[in-house]
Amino acid sequence: FNNTIPSVVNKCGLSIQNILKTEKPLHDFELMIHKLEEIGSIYLLNIFKQWNIFLNVNEQYSLSFLQKTLNILPEYNRMFAALINILKNRNFITVENETITVLDSALNESNSLKNNKLEIENYSKSYPEMKHFIRFMITCLDSYSKTLTGEINHMDVIFPNGSAELVENIYKNNSFMDYFNRLVVSTVDAIVKS
């Protein structure tokens, strides 16, 4: 055990504490992300409904049946399973032994895509600092059917025409990422100076 490690950790902690004291706290960040996840999961549910899936309570499918019926490429099976898991975590469906069952909440929560887009617009007005996250999320969600079937490459969705414009503002030029980037820089600076 190196005796300098505790002093480095202490310096990093002090450096972070200084930023936390001087920067505007991000109390709303968790609330905004939670609301974005909620809106996104309802949007995702509506996409499944556009595929004529999850339209009725107690509908049942196997994951493999859906993958085959929707022509999901094998290399996207994990991504498709992750999308199913999002709906499961929001209690729109259950998944037991590869059997997916639609729950009442899928019908109760599901509003039309038009209403969901209106909710997204209202969210954007309430939280303008989230506009880049929203744009990225909607772009990805709108492209899932074509991406999962191989009609378009996932990299072309994220980097249209080779441009990083869609993702660059997720990582910089927004108050949240700038804040966390300052925390990382401060921590690295404290370590280097130790």
Side-chain angles (χ1 to χ4, degrees), residues 28 42 47 61-62 68 70 77 80 85 87 90 94 100-101 116 135 154 164 170 194:
D28 291 342
I42 293 169
I47 288 172
Y61 303 96
S62 71
K68 183 178 179 180
L70 297 172
N77 283 346
F80 187 72
N85 200 46
L87 299 179
R90 284 282 298 147
T94 61
I100 301 165
T101 305
N116 195 220
R135 182 172 168 235
H154 66 278
I170 298 290
S194 294

Side-chain angles (χ1 to χ4, degrees), residues 138-173:
I138 297 303
T139 299
C140 292
L141 286 168
D142 283 342
S143 302
Y144 276 143
S145 64
K146 291 181 180 181
T147 302
L148 296 172
T149 59
E151 192 175 326
I152 59 173
N153 185 289
H154 66 278
M155 295 302 281
D156 292 333
V157 173
I158 298 171
F159 301 105
N161 300 316
S163 170
E165 179 190 353
L166 184 62
V167 295
E168 68 187 355
N169 289 315
I170 298 290
Y171 299 105
K172 63 179 184 172
N173 299 328

Side-chain angles (χ1 to χ4, degrees), residues 27-93:
H27 298 294
D28 291 342
F29 186 68
E30 281 187 60
L31 172 69
M32 287 185 272
I33 291 297
H34 177 74
K35 184 65 178 169
L36 185 64
E37 289 172 348
E38 180 182 315
I39 291 170
S41 63
I42 293 169
Y43 197 97
L44 177 60
L45 178 63
N46 281 309
I47 288 172
F48 273 88
K49 288 181 180 232
Q50 289 176 341
W51 297 338
N52 293 316
I53 307 288
F54 305 152
L55 297 174
N56 301 299
V57 175
N58 296 323
E59 259 180 71
Q60 290 190 323
Y61 303 96
S62 71
L63 184 61
S64 58
F65 172 82
L66 287 179
Q67 289 167 330
K68 183 178 179 180
T69 302
L70 297 172
N71 298 315
I72 307 299
L73 294 178
E75 58 263 32
Y76 292 116
N77 283 346
R78 285 179 47 204
M79 170 59 83
F80 187 72
L83 297 177
I84 294 294
N85 200 46
I86 289 169
L87 299 179
K88 176 186 168 200
N89 289 340
R90 284 282 298 147
N91 296 314
F92 293 145
I93 60 173

Side-chain angles (χ1 to χ4, degrees), residues 164-183:
E165 179 190 353
L166 184 62
V167 295
E168 68 187 355
N169 289 315
I170 298 290
Y171 299 105
K172 63 179 184 172
N173 299 328
N174 73 67
S175 58
F176 301 118
M177 291 305 112
D178 290 346
Y179 173 82
F180 291 115
N181 286 337
R182 283 191 294 280
L183 287 176

